[in-house]
Amino acid sequence: MFIYFWILLLSLFFAYLLEQVRALEADTFRIGRFSVKKTLACRGALMLCALPSAVLSGFRYAVGVDYFYTYVPLYQKIASGMSLREVGTEPGYYFLNKLIILLGGGTVWVFLITSLMIAGLFFLAFYQQSESFVLSVAMFFAAESYFVSLMYVRQFIAAGFVIFGFRYIREKKFWKYALCIGAAFLFHTSAVIMLPLYVLCLLPIHPLFLAGGIAALSLLHDVLMRLLQSMASLTPYGAYWGSIFQQGFRFYGIAFFKYAILFAVAAFFYKKNKKDRFYLFCLNTMALLVYIACNFDILPQTDRICWYLELVVLLLVPMLVRR
């Protein structure tokens, strides 16, 4: 476990270096006898920042239940020549494995390349969108996104595409956002839930009304649960109802405490930021997370859905700190 601490420090060092370089006004600067372009130095620092966590993740062995339960068997099935339908995984992940196999790579290459994809997408999103690159990198580790990605590879490749796509919420380019969600869908079908949630950036709802909505919807818990089950029965997701993944009623206290604090702090800035599309998206998403924490049994495997919604935290906290 101690090695993760050193990886975090190394990543934070290059993240700090990147922020210092970005703050320079000149397009070029000198290091000894060499003249270095600012853009080139930023890209180099970004790569060095993402590389330690990606390499450590890529060369892991037997980390998490799904290592031998899901990912090694999937590789073996694809290597044996089984079709996409027979393997039963998403097409993006299937053809990525297929390409690695055609090039003569083994499972080590699968984990290394997927780790590079996850780190690359997340850190590029931080670079392009975060108001504090250092803080986002720190939270990537502290909020456990990195550690969860070691166990759930496909979903965190999808999450990488989702957080990268958040930039198009700011830019008001829904079709590009939809393309990012489409790319995420190719690696984990659950990512499709983030497509209709784009509407959250268009809803300037006062935080007091949001809080009231959370309370009202919580009182309608059983009605909403039946409605969601009816809708889900039309999709493969319906199979999760009544399975071991269906939980009894549970108030997720720790998550509620975290989400409620962030929602309250974000609400404090509502008046000055209600025209900021990404701020609205974050505020409404935090309200949704507060509701889920109060009604954690509303859906099977609710934590998997929360992993997508929690991506906003990695960008919202730096935004709030700057404010």
Side-chain angles (χ1 to χ4, degrees):
M1 192 65 184
F2 196 60
I3 191 172
Y4 293 112
F5 175 74
W6 288 108
I7 289 295
L8 170 59
L9 287 183
L10 192 58
S11 294
L12 288 177
F13 169 75
F14 287 115
Y16 175 77
L17 188 64
L18 173 57
E19 287 206 334
Q20 295 305 305
V21 173
R22 292 179 79 176
L24 296 174
E25 295 183 1
D27 292 331
T28 61
F29 60 94
R30 298 192 67 82
I31 301 178
R33 298 179 180 179
F34 300 97
S35 179
V36 181
K37 288 187 176 181
K38 179 180 174 180
T39 53
L40 184 61
C42 285
R43 291 171 185 171
L46 177 61
M47 290 178 61
L48 290 171
C49 184
L51 207 55
S53 59
V55 171
L56 180 61
S57 173
F59 287 106
R60 70 190 185 276
Y61 180 77
V63 175
V65 175
D66 282 0
Y67 189 97
F68 285 117
Y69 183 77
T70 300
Y71 295 108
V72 171
L74 280 177
Y75 174 86
Q76 292 170 341
K77 289 177 182 179
I78 297 169
S80 70
M82 292 177 67
S83 67
L84 175 60
R85 179 175 294 183
E86 291 172 323
V87 172
T89 190
E90 287 83 359
Y93 188 76
Y94 175 86
F95 287 111
L96 177 62
N97 276 258
K98 198 77 172 176
L99 178 61
I100 292 169
I101 292 164
L102 288 173
L103 295 174
T107 53
V108 172
W109 280 100
V110 173
F111 288 109
L112 181 58
I113 290 173
T114 53
S115 297
L116 288 169
M117 289 178 67
I118 293 168
L121 287 166
F122 270 87
F123 281 65
L124 185 58
F126 299 156
Y127 176 72
Q128 294 178 339
Q129 302 176 56
S130 178
E131 295 191 31
S132 174
F133 183 74
V134 171
L135 185 52
S136 288
V137 170
M139 291 181 62
F140 180 64
F141 290 91
E144 299 182 343
S145 296
Y146 174 67
F147 298 102
V148 178
S149 75
L150 300 178
M151 296 179 284
Y152 302 101
V153 175
R154 290 174 299 142
Q155 185 161 1
F156 269 78
I157 295 174
F161 281 111
V162 171
I163 193 170
F164 178 80
F166 285 167
R167 62 175 292 184
Y168 300 115
I169 293 175
R170 285 188 172 96
E171 297 177 9
K172 304 180 182 180
K173 295 178 180 177
F174 172 73
W175 69 273
K176 287 189 176 181
Y177 175 79
L179 284 177
C180 290
I181 303 304
F185 179 81
L186 293 176
F187 287 91
H188 207 278
T189 54
S190 62
V192 73
I193 194 173
M194 295 304 295
L195 187 60
L197 291 185
Y198 180 87
V199 72
L200 295 180
C201 75
L202 306 174
L203 302 175
I205 305 173
H206 194 281
L208 290 178
F209 287 105
L210 287 174
I214 292 168
L217 291 174
S218 295
L219 292 174
L220 295 172
H221 172 274
D222 293 342
V223 175
L224 283 174
M225 194 170 179
R226 288 194 295 270
L227 177 61
L228 289 171
Q229 184 175 0
S230 177
M231 293 170 61
S233 65
L234 304 174
T235 72
Y237 186 64
Y240 285 104
W241 259 272
S243 70
I244 60 172
F245 300 108
Q246 178 73 51
Q247 300 171 325
F249 178 78
R250 183 154 63 101
F251 172 71
Y252 199 175
I254 297 175
F256 173 80
F257 181 73
K258 294 187 296 184
Y259 301 153
I261 288 177
L262 276 175
F263 173 71
V265 176
F268 180 78
F269 295 96
Y270 175 77
K271 188 174 182 180
K272 292 183 178 180
N273 295 276
K274 60 183 179 181
K275 293 184 179 180
D276 183 329
R277 290 165 63 96
F278 189 67
Y279 165 82
L280 290 177
F281 181 79
C282 291
L283 177 68
N284 292 328
T285 300
M286 292 312 305
L288 185 56
L289 282 168
V290 171
Y291 169 76
I292 290 174
C294 295
N295 304 270
F296 208 69
D297 65 326
I298 195 74
L299 293 168
Q301 289 200 310
T302 317
D303 53 345
R304 295 289 191 105
I305 296 170
C306 287
W307 290 340
Y308 292 119
L309 302 178
E310 287 171 348
L311 293 174
V312 303
V313 175
L314 300 175
L315 301 173
L316 173 62
V317 171
M319 180 196 302
L320 295 177
V321 170
R322 291 292 187 188
R323 298 293 184 275

